[in-house]
Amino acid sequence: GLMHTIYFAEDYETVKNAAGGVPDMQTTHNPGPLELGKTYYWRVDEFDGAATHTGDVWSFTVTTPTGGLKGMYYSNRDLAGWPVLVRMDSGIDFDWGADSPEPNTISADEFSVRWIGEREVAFSEPYTFYPHVDNGVRLWVDNKQIIDAWENPAVFEYKSVGIDLVAGRRYSIVMEYHERDGTALARLSWESPSTAKQIIPQAAFSPPMRASRPKPPNGETDVRNMPVLSWLAGDYADSHEVYLGTDEDAVKNADKNSPEYKDTRARGDESYDPGKLAWATTYYWRVDEVNSADPDSPWTGSVWSFSTGAFLVVDDFEYYDDIDPAPGEPGINRIFDKWIDGYGTTTNGALIGNALPPYAEQSVVHSGAQSMNYAYDNTGKTSEATLTLVYPKDWTEEGVTKLSLWFIGDPGNSPERMSVALDGTAVVYHDDLNVTQIDTWTEWVIDLTRFAGVNLANVNTITIGFGTKNSPAAGGTGQMYFDDIRLYRPN
Ligand SMILES: [Ca+2]
Ligand SMILES: [Ca+2]
Ligand SMILES: [Ca+2]
């Protein structure tokens, strides 16, 4: 495999000009204790056995707990991969013109920034936010998205709805921004009945000490009854205390002796599995960030909520990731590691997911952030993709009787029969022979009794297919999307 040489120093030129290091197989580097407020530079060169490929110089600034937001700068428009620069910005008030935010590190075009901070508000009243940007912007306040203008082509000042904030409470603010080309501008103002419109004052921001970006998102409905809760760690946490319950006040006021206290998770494990939850129930949860060496700890989290749906989720495609395995190792949780398609075969024309990350579909979705993109090629073959079930396998649980799934096709697709099979043999076909050409999200509901011969108390696999099962013919190709495969009770 590749060998790496890491250079690390306190100034840009030293790292840029460094040479002669000995490559090894390490993919981590521990620089030892760092100085608060100081900026460091580093570079990773790759040696492929024949030549050394010199890496870009990256940098980060060690944050201090006083004032500012964390700015994470990326060398692309999509906040993809690792940030090339992480620093504390005192506020969001930048007019870069045709220049770069950091000339040695970031180009003047095609970059993006995610700012994460927290701040208290002085008044209990509605606040309106005004991102003034060139080009795209998204804004979350208190973990709710209030601006979504990623495709903004030119300089523009957006205005959010007013959101009610409470004096003395701390709120998370997350702004994502990208510069396309030409000039670059990023400012964030606010206004309330008692606050004249102004750039949000710099000193009032503090770095993200509290947990943020909850998943499921705050207020989400129709959440699966076996969710995994996750969040973004506060900057100084070495562990997280998780509280969960159905009484909002009890969760808000809970301590480690309360029944709502569920678990302590180590830094690096920002997730909690609550097991099976009740149907159609609103849950409240809170994550406190703990640093045993800091007298200000713990940083008490906001109370977040979500509501479970009245259904079982077979797959909503939300939990697949883009983590490639080490060479020679099997993949674990990419969409095509779970939905087994025809890749590498000559008889099965199904291809699941994108060739490059993000592997699951993130643009054409029915709900949530991801769906399944499914390309079929029925030229002399049929297409099938199969998921082996872990949960739910008992398709009689809670009295469910119906399978529902959502799909969308395209008028340019060749018409093919679409089917769902359980345990590989019990097949149900969609009635519409041109189903692949439907170009709006459409629900397909199948009564479970139609899956003849299947033990519904122990279902092992579900297969989505195109063409007539076991009868390849001279078909064509197409692109379909699937989302929200669920089991419902009778109405
Ligand atoms: Ca520019
Ligand atoms: Ca621009
Ligand atoms: Ca989804």
Side-chain angles (χ1 to χ4, degrees):
L2 283 173
M3 298 177 81
H4 321 280
T5 311
I6 295 177
Y7 300 100
F8 184 92
E10 295 176 14
D11 72 281
Y12 173 81
E13 290 296 328
T14 300
V15 172
K16 182 175 169 41
N17 299 324
V22 179
D24 62 27
M25 299 299 286
Q26 294 290 325
T27 56
T28 60
H29 174 69
N30 182 351
L34 301 178
E35 202 175 312
L36 279 177
K38 196 165 191 59
T39 298
Y40 294 88
Y41 299 85
W42 59 305
R43 191 184 101 203
V44 181
D45 292 353
E46 304 275 76
F47 179 66
D48 63 11
T52 296
H53 304 274
T54 304
D56 294 332
V57 178
W58 297 328
S59 88
F60 62 90
T61 303
V62 182
T63 59
T64 61
T66 52
L69 313 89
K70 182 159 78 170
M72 304 160 78
Y73 292 73
Y74 298 79
S75 277
N76 55 68
R77 254 165 62 181
D78 309 307
L79 305 149
W82 288 93
V84 292
L85 170 70
V86 179
R87 69 182 186 192
M88 292 305 292
D89 286 328
S90 52
I92 305 176
D93 183 10
F94 298 100
D95 183 356
W96 289 298
D99 295 336
S100 152
E102 182 70 52
N104 284 323
T105 309
I106 303 165
S107 67
D109 296 325
E110 299 276 328
F111 66 87
S112 53
V113 189
R114 177 182 290 124
W115 286 283
I116 306 177
E118 296 180 350
R119 54 163 306 139
E120 250 174 49
V121 295
F123 308 102
S124 294
E125 55 191 25
Y127 282 72
T128 305
F129 291 80
Y130 298 86
H132 186 194
V133 287
D134 174 353
N135 293 90
V137 68
R138 303 181 186 116
L139 180 67
W140 290 259
V141 173
D142 194 22
N143 300 292
K144 287 191 264 300
Q145 186 166 11
I146 56 173
I147 297 282
D148 185 359
W150 200 242
E151 297 308 323
N152 173 35
V155 61
F156 195 80
E157 184 174 65
Y158 292 92
K159 179 181 181 180
S160 78
V161 296
I163 64 166
D164 291 318
L165 303 181
V166 176
R169 279 231 213 125
R170 302 198 68 79
Y171 293 97
S172 72
I173 294 181
V174 177
M175 181 161 136
E176 294 178 349
Y177 160 85
H178 80 253
E179 154 66 347
R180 183 183 303 177
D181 53 21
T183 55
L185 177 78
R187 290 195 168 121
L188 182 61
S189 300
W190 69 358
E191 166 180 60
S192 76
S194 310
T195 312
K197 187 182 166 194
Q198 59 187 273
I199 302 270
I200 301 180
Q202 305 186 337
F205 280 112
S206 62
M209 313 299 282
R210 286 162 184 74
S212 62
R213 300 276 291 244
K215 193 172 174 180
N218 190 22
E220 183 92 327
T221 57
D222 278 353
V223 171
R224 61 164 73 189
N225 72 320
M226 293 243 313
V228 174
L229 312 184
S230 62
W231 58 91
L232 200 61
D235 268 15
Y236 293 88
D238 55 28
S239 65
H240 320 280
E241 292 169 359
V242 182
Y243 298 87
L244 175 73
T246 54
D247 181 321
E248 182 172 11
D249 283 333
V251 170
K252 181 170 185 276
N253 299 319
D255 61 27
K256 287 188 77 172
N257 298 313
S258 309
E260 286 76 17
Y261 168 70
K262 297 301 177 190
D263 203 0
T264 293
R265 312 294 292 173
R267 178 158 198 125
D269 186 3
E270 285 71 44
S271 71
Y272 171 67
D273 179 355
K276 202 181 287 188
L277 301 179
W279 281 31
T281 301
T282 299
Y283 285 88
Y284 300 89
W285 60 302
R286 192 185 100 203
V287 177
D288 290 358
E289 298 295 78
V290 179
N291 181 326
S292 43
D294 192 312
D296 291 339
S297 160
W299 293 279
T300 306
S302 309
V303 175
W304 297 323
S305 72
F306 63 87
S307 302
T308 53
F311 47 78
L312 297 174
V313 173
V314 176
D315 205 341
D316 56 14
F317 308 100
E318 298 302 302
Y319 289 93
Y320 296 120
D321 60 35
D322 299 321
I323 300 172
D324 292 317
E329 300 289 321
I332 296 173
N333 198 36
R334 301 167 301 177
I335 189 168
F336 41 73
D337 296 326
K338 299 292 189 185
W339 282 88
I340 305 305
D341 59 18
Y343 183 76
T345 77
T346 54
T347 54
N348 180 351
L351 267 187
I352 298 297
N354 295 312
L356 294 171
Y359 294 125
E361 175 63 27
Q362 296 186 343
S363 299
V364 183
V365 297
H366 180 253
S367 75
Q370 297 195 140
S371 71
M372 176 166 74
N373 40 353
Y374 184 136
Y376 62 85
D377 176 354
N378 282 12
T379 50
K381 30 190 175 180
T382 56
S383 299
E384 292 189 345
T386 299
L387 172 71
T388 297
L389 298 162
V390 177
Y391 175 87
K393 286 170 68 73
D394 180 356
W395 288 23
T396 65
E397 186 177 321
E398 301 272 358
V400 297
T401 61
K402 291 182 294 189
L403 173 68
S404 158
L405 58 86
W406 288 82
F407 65 90
I408 184 171
D410 187 279
N413 286 344
S414 81
E416 301 289 341
R417 299 178 85 184
M418 181 167 80
S419 66
V420 171
L422 299 185
D423 289 349
T425 52
V427 190
V428 173
Y429 289 95
H430 197 283
D431 293 336
D432 185 349
L433 295 176
N434 298 316
V435 65
T436 55
Q437 299 183 326
I438 295 174
D439 63 354
T440 55
W441 278 106
T442 301
E443 185 182 21
W444 183 18
V445 180
I446 306 171
D447 197 302
L448 292 177
T449 58
R450 293 184 63 195
F451 294 102
V454 169
N455 176 10
L456 292 172
N458 185 25
V459 182
N460 292 301
T461 64
I462 177 173
T463 301
I464 296 177
F466 293 95
T468 301
K469 198 168 171 62
N470 302 322
S471 299
T477 63
Q479 174 71 58
M480 300 289 290
Y481 302 88
F482 294 90
D483 207 349
D484 291 324
I485 306 178
R486 297 171 173 174
L487 298 168
Y488 284 92
R489 292 170 178 149
N491 287 333

